[in-house]
């Protein structure tokens, strides 16, 4: 019996799968992640510290000087008499205005779809889901024609209004209220004499803070990063948000557009600095709202 047991143990050890292969796969995936995602970000952060010539000649991951960062900053904000400042201000106005209207529309709409019964409710929910999964580019033409019909092209409302109706936000709120809001609590409040508006404003809305924060985050990020629709409906550079402004900076950089003027002071370091500035608001918002985002993502995961 002892020899048999030893033989079986040796066989099990021999046929046991090697643990080296999973580590090699994980290492390869991490290397690919470093190569395609991390290194470009490091290059982007270091590019403003060099001159345009140093960006081409020197080590891509080397640091230049803080003086060059200041020079790139001055050149960038001197472009077209402070166009970068105007673009950032426009993005803040568009994103902030759309965010307020998004919350004012999405939260009551999701509450109504989840907790009230009315004719056409299921049809409206299906339309919301279909609109949510459609690529945004497919809606640009009908939205453009609609805005043109109401003579809104070239106005601030041509950007704010389309961004304000957020199907994904409606669906998130619908899931939360449909799965996590205690019905007994609402029934007890009705017995105590609460109206439907009081149920929503005093009971449902305070309990929905995590999902409201989640909708606000996704809405702000989507509005801040939107490029295609503002590019079509805003003909004037004075009205551009920062994402459309980056495209204008790109076309004004001789390295990417040989016909651009040589005296514009827009080179690769200035363009890299503009990209960093454009993503900073989203990055700061993400850093300071991580707890809210996690709470919102887990809000509808369990039935209370």
């Amino acid at each position: 019996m002892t020899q048999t047991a030893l033989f079986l143990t040796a066989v099990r050890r021999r046929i046991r799968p090697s643990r080296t292969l999973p580590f090699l796969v994980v290492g390869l995936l991490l290397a690919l992640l470093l190569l395609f995602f991390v290194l470009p970000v490091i290059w982007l952060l270091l590019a403003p510290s060099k001159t345009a010539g140093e960006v081409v000649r020197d080590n891509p991951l080397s640091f230049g000087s803080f003086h060059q960062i200041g020079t790139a900053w001055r050149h960038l904000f001197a472009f077209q008499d402070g166009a970068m400042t105007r673009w950032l201000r426009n993005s803040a106005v568009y994103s902030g205005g759309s965010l307020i209207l998004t919350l004012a529309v999405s939260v009551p709409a999701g509450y109504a779809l989840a907790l009230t019964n009315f004719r056409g409710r299921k049809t409206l929910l299906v339309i919301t889901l279909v609109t949510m999964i459609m690529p945004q580019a497919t809606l640009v033409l009908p939205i453009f024609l609609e805005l043109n019909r109401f003579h809104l092209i070239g106005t601030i409302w041509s950007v704010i209004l389309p961004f304000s109706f957020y199907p994904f936000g409606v669906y998130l709120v619908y899931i939360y209220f449909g799965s996590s809001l205690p019905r007994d609590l609402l029934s007890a409040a009705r017995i105590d004499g609460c109206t439907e508006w009081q149920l929503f404003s005093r009971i449902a809305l305070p309990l929905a803070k995590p999902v409201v924060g989640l909708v606000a985050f996704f809405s702000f990020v989507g509005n801040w990063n939107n490029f295609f629709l503002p590019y079509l409906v805003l003909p004037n550079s004075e009205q551009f948000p920062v994402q459309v402004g980056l495209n204008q900076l790109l076309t004004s950089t001789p390295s990417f557009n040989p016909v651009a003027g040589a005296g514009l002071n827009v080179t690769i370091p200035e363009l890299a600095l503009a990209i960093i500035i454009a993503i900073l608001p989203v990055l700061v918002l993400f850093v300071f709202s991580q707890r809210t985002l996690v709470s919102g993502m887990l809000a509808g995961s369990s039935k209370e």
Side-chain angles (χ1 to χ4, degrees):
M1 292 295 294
T2 304
Q3 293 180 351
T4 304
L6 292 175
F7 175 76
L8 291 175
T9 303
V11 170
R12 291 194 191 99
R13 290 177 179 175
R14 190 169 298 177
I15 65 175
R16 182 180 298 173
S18 175
R19 296 183 180 180
T20 306
L21 183 60
F23 286 110
L24 291 177
V25 173
V26 172
L28 179 61
L29 292 176
L30 290 176
L32 292 175
L33 178 67
L34 176 67
L35 180 63
F36 288 101
F37 295 98
V38 179
L39 290 182
V41 173
I42 296 176
W43 180 91
L44 181 68
L45 294 175
L46 294 174
S49 68
K50 308 173 190 176
T51 63
E54 291 172 344
V55 169
V56 178
R57 295 190 310 266
D58 294 355
N59 186 339
L61 301 182
S62 63
F63 180 80
S65 65
F66 289 104
H67 173 74
Q68 177 55 34
I69 295 177
T71 301
W73 180 278
R74 290 193 300 272
H75 288 170
L76 174 62
F77 282 89
F79 176 73
Q80 293 185 354
D81 297 324
M84 188 67 185
T85 303
R86 292 194 297 272
W87 296 338
L88 290 170
R89 182 174 62 247
N90 292 339
S91 287
V93 172
Y94 298 152
S95 301
S98 299
L99 175 60
I100 294 173
L101 292 179
T102 294
L103 295 179
V105 172
S106 299
V107 178
Y111 176 85
L113 287 173
L115 297 176
T116 60
N117 292 317
F118 55 91
R119 182 176 297 179
R121 172 178 173 272
K122 291 184 178 180
T123 302
L124 186 58
L125 181 58
V126 170
I127 294 174
T128 302
L129 292 174
V130 171
T131 307
M132 182 183 70
I133 64 177
M134 289 178 65
Q136 291 187 355
T138 61
L139 300 176
V140 168
L141 179 58
I143 290 176
F144 180 88
L145 295 175
E146 184 179 12
L147 293 173
N148 186 57
R149 178 66 179 82
F150 290 98
H151 307 288
L152 294 176
I153 297 297
T155 67
I156 185 175
W157 299 109
S158 64
V159 179
I160 290 180
L161 287 180
F163 290 170
S164 301
F165 299 95
Y166 190 41
F168 183 60
V170 174
Y171 190 67
L172 282 178
V173 178
Y174 162 76
I175 292 177
Y176 173 80
F177 283 132
S179 61
S180 299
L181 188 63
R183 300 299 190 273
D184 295 339
L185 181 62
L186 298 179
S187 300
R190 289 190 181 97
I191 294 174
D192 290 338
C194 285
T195 63
E196 290 300 323
W197 172 251
Q198 290 173 333
L199 286 177
F200 172 71
S201 61
R202 297 183 181 181
I203 298 177
L205 193 57
L207 293 176
K209 286 182 180 179
V211 75
V212 171
L214 190 65
V215 171
F217 175 81
F218 283 130
S219 173
F220 180 85
V221 172
N223 297 336
W224 184 271
N225 291 331
N226 197 292
F227 167 81
F228 197 25
L229 184 63
Y231 179 75
L232 291 179
V233 301
L234 297 176
N236 189 353
S237 175
E238 299 288 328
Q239 300 173 299
F240 285 171
V242 67
Q243 304 302 334
V244 182
L246 289 178
N247 180 70
Q248 186 166 339
L249 275 176
L250 183 66
T251 59
S252 302
T253 304
S255 301
F256 297 97
N257 185 12
V259 300
L264 293 176
N265 287 331
V266 178
T267 57
I268 294 178
E270 286 80 17
L271 184 60
L273 181 60
I275 295 173
I276 295 172
I277 294 174
I279 65 176
L280 271 180
V282 175
L283 180 62
V284 172
L285 180 63
F286 175 76
V287 169
F288 286 97
S289 62
Q290 290 185 63
R291 181 174 299 179
T292 301
L293 294 178
V294 173
S295 300
M297 292 177 182
L298 298 177
S301 61
S302 60
K303 182 77 174 178
E304 295 185 7

